[in-house]
Amino acid sequence: MTAPLPIKTVATKPFADQRPGTSGLRKKTKVFQQPHYLANFVQSIFASLEGFEGKALVLGGDGRFFNREAIQIILKMAAAAGFGEIIVGRGGILSTPAASAVIRHEQAFGGIVLSASHNPGGPDADFGIKYNISNGGPAPEKITEAIFAHSKVIESYRTLEGPDVNIDEIGHSWLVGTKVRVIDPVAIYRDLMASLFDFDAIKKLFASGFSMKFDAMSAVTGPYAKAILEGDLGAAPGTVLNGEPLPDFGHHHPDPNLVHAKHLYDLAMSDAAPDMCAASDGDGDRNLVIGRGQFVTPSDSLAIIAANAHLAPGYRQGIAGVARSMPTSRAADRVAAKLGVGMYETPTGWKFFGNLLDAGKVTVCGEESAGAGSNHVREKDGLWAILMWLNILAARQQSVKEIVRAHWAEFGRHYYSRHDYEEVATEGANALVAGLRAKLTSLPGQSFGALKVEAADDFAYHDPIDGSMSKQQGVRVLFADGSRIVYRLSGTGTSGATLRVYIERFEPDPARHDLETQAALADLIALAEQLAGIKQHTGRDKPSVIT
């Protein structure tokens, strides 16, 4: 053990903008680079926790710009705070689901994850930080609100004076009495995946000529995908595209949707299409799945995974239940009903699934924003979802398209689309939502053409495990034919407001399962604009992104 380093108390003043959103604190990188900004938030995390002295803290991030510098700041502060051990991914790298897996495997007190998820990276782009609790999941609101409360009154923080820690070599070193252990960021996660899925069957699938392209988007899943897909499973070299994590994601926008991953969609719809195209996002917790000639919506993917999970060894006994975020389509509800298992509708934010998973109420969870996962960790997990699809394909010996079409034939199709209006003026967005809330009592019973409003509300969630209540989680307009329009302001952006509008229509008739999605939803899309006055409040004629 080296000689003790002096602990230094640094005077500081509060920043007014450190309230965590749905998944931590996200701001422009330059905001985090301000003197004291990151340190203030980290000290506020530690001040909101009890009983961590001598315990282990997991630390890592998605490798975006400022990740390495932030790791060094946090290492010294965590040592000064009294953690007994800090477990760091080599090079400061840990995907978000891998961080959750490491927290659980090491039985750590908690973890700090550095990421702005699917947001762009670089000196002029975004950065983020969040705290995960001992179950591996994002901190619940009682902790994030405590962090914010501390951030408003902070006067000082504690750190160590001394050289940076070498985080590029596996092994351990010491900061005062705190052990810093640098680990392979892939190993624990890789072993976990091997315990859940039939790697032998998937290996045979690839050996039979099955072809795939996985785009890591120059983000964190590159090393994981290369080790598992091209290594363990024998996928052809070059299956993983953009596999090296870069601080600016190679100038990509690392969001695996049909705008920023359009090249994958175009490939999947071309004559040169592989059997499957897939991608994950900046921090590895989202997924994109496209078969040859068949895009799979995240909502449909969740439903198909729930219906077929038993084909994977880790889920052979079946699933206990399914949970989805409220805006996610109700496709999974029909699967849960047929399986006779519980179905839970929660607010957006993976933290809301944690209690249900811990209580054994659900096994599979998902969000329409390309997130799916299970009880193996407490985060959504992009590569897990893709491996689940590979396991299903290997077991059923059908194509992605055949599996999707068979699912629709059995359960019906939920036509579904999300329209995002990004970086709109906050005042206008708030006025739009306020106007909708004012209409809630008068909408039920009104008819708009063939659409009759059955109910309208501002979604509130009563947690069945801890009894907590989360209000104003999104305005829902529900129609008599089962259609829905949902409006919600997102908490994942870093400037202005993002209005998300979700439109859904259920179609039971297989003869009508080949309609173009926007055409199938045209009357609902027009009504969504009419009810909310989107153009009036945002100044936008059309969405920034349609998925």
Side-chain angles (χ1 to χ4, degrees), residues 26-75:
R26 296 179 186 173
K27 302 288 179 185
K28 292 298 180 185
T29 306
K30 284 183 168 60
V31 173
F32 275 100
Q33 289 178 303
Q34 295 175 90
H36 310 306
Y37 192 89
L38 174 64
N40 274 23
F41 190 75
V42 172
Q43 189 67 54
S44 298
I45 292 174
F46 297 156
S48 70
L49 306 176
E50 294 180 356
F52 59 78
E53 293 78 7
K55 303 288 180 64
L57 179 75
V58 172
L59 176 60
D62 59 16
R64 68 179 57 231
F65 187 85
F66 192 56
N67 188 77
R68 294 178 68 90
E69 297 87 343
I71 292 277
Q72 297 294 340
I73 291 169
I74 297 165
L75 281 171

Side-chain angles (χ1 to χ4, degrees), residues 427-437 487 499 532-535 537-538:
E427 283 186 8
N430 288 338
L432 181 151
V433 173
L436 284 168
R437 286 173 178 153
Y487 304 85
L499 170 69
I534 294 173
K535 182 178 179 181
H537 288 294
T538 69

Side-chain angles (χ1 to χ4, degrees), residues 210-246:
F210 182 88
S211 57
M212 178 182 181
K213 289 297 181 185
F214 173 85
D215 194 342
M217 305 189 91
S218 300
V220 78
T221 49
Y224 298 85
K226 282 186 176 179
I228 297 172
L229 296 176
E230 294 186 12
D232 298 334
L233 299 176
T239 292
V240 177
L241 310 173
N242 300 307
E244 181 184 352
L246 300 175

Side-chain angles (χ1 to χ4, degrees), residues 70-87:
I71 292 277
Q72 297 294 340
I73 291 169
I74 297 165
L75 281 171
K76 294 170 185 176
M77 291 186 65
F83 280 95
E85 182 178 34
I86 309 167
I87 302 166

Side-chain angles (χ1 to χ4, degrees), residues 111-158:
I112 291 178
V113 182
L114 300 172
S115 173
S117 189
H118 53 290
N119 294 2
D124 297 316
D126 301 338
F127 193 77
I129 177 173
K130 68 175 181 175
Y131 178 71
N132 282 28
I133 59 176
S134 60
N135 74 350
E141 286 186 330
K142 64 182 179 182
I143 292 180
T144 57
E145 285 301 307
I147 293 169
F148 180 52
H150 284 292
S151 78
K152 292 190 292 185
V153 296
I154 189 171
E155 296 179 347
S156 65
Y157 60 86
R158 285 158 56 86

Side-chain angles (χ1 to χ4, degrees), residues 471-495:
K471 298 180 179 180
Q472 295 188 335
Q473 296 295 316
V475 172
R476 302 188 298 179
V477 183
L478 311 174
F479 298 91
D481 67 352
S483 300
R484 292 193 308 165
I485 300 172
V486 175
Y487 304 85
R488 180 178 159 269
L489 298 183
S490 170
T492 59
T494 59
S495 59

